Amino acid sequence: MAVAKVKGRKTDPERSVPVPLQFLAGWAAGGAVLAVMLLLSALLASGMGLPLGALEILLLLSIAAGSLAAGWVTARRIGQKGLVCGAASGLMLSLTALGAAAILQSRLPELSDCGRAAVFITAAMIGGVLGVQKASRRKR
């Protein structure tokens, strides 16, 4: 199993954290940020009586924030290949959301769901690149 060194800690190779656990940490962080953003969006929408078009925008902004956090945390913990780490964590988060939506709504994903998945993956890739850039700047 591949292992990654956690930045900022002195670890020996036998105690390094496995890469799948790094992705799981990013997935959990992204899911937490997504849940908080969705709750804040729901509070905002219920308090202001927003139209349906505005709700879709709030949903996409929440998805982008959660995916950005997932990609950033994953790439930051692994410390290299930010684009790949971000894409993988965004894919994990989007598959989780698509699976939950399919189970709760008892239907197959539609084209709009695939568009949301693209937002998940793109935002996570951006977060992954930003996470690696921050790590490389500190070393200088």
Side-chain angles (χ1 to χ4, degrees), residues 10-133:
K10 293 181 180 178
T11 59
D12 55 13
E14 290 126 16
R15 299 190 70 205
S16 295
V17 180
V19 172
L21 291 180
Q22 305 289 359
F23 282 104
L24 188 61
W27 175 79
V33 170
L34 178 61
V36 168
M37 291 295 293
L38 286 174
L39 285 173
L40 291 176
S41 298
L43 286 174
L44 181 70
S46 66
M48 298 180 73
L50 296 174
L52 289 177
L55 293 177
E56 183 69 26
I57 292 171
L58 286 175
L59 173 69
L60 288 175
L61 287 174
S62 300
I63 287 171
S67 295
L68 190 80
W72 188 85
V73 168
T74 303
R76 187 86 171 140
R77 291 181 62 93
I78 291 177
Q80 58 186 355
K81 299 182 184 175
L83 200 62
V84 175
C85 292
S89 62
L91 183 64
M92 284 174 44
L93 205 55
S94 67
L95 288 178
T96 304
L98 284 174
I103 291 170
L104 292 175
Q105 297 176 356
S106 299
R107 66 171 176 82
L108 292 175
E110 296 175 353
L111 188 58
S112 64
D113 297 327
C114 295
R116 288 186 193 119
V119 172
F120 270 112
I121 295 169
T122 304
M125 288 168 66
I126 292 169
V129 169
L130 292 176
V132 171
Q133 277 186 346

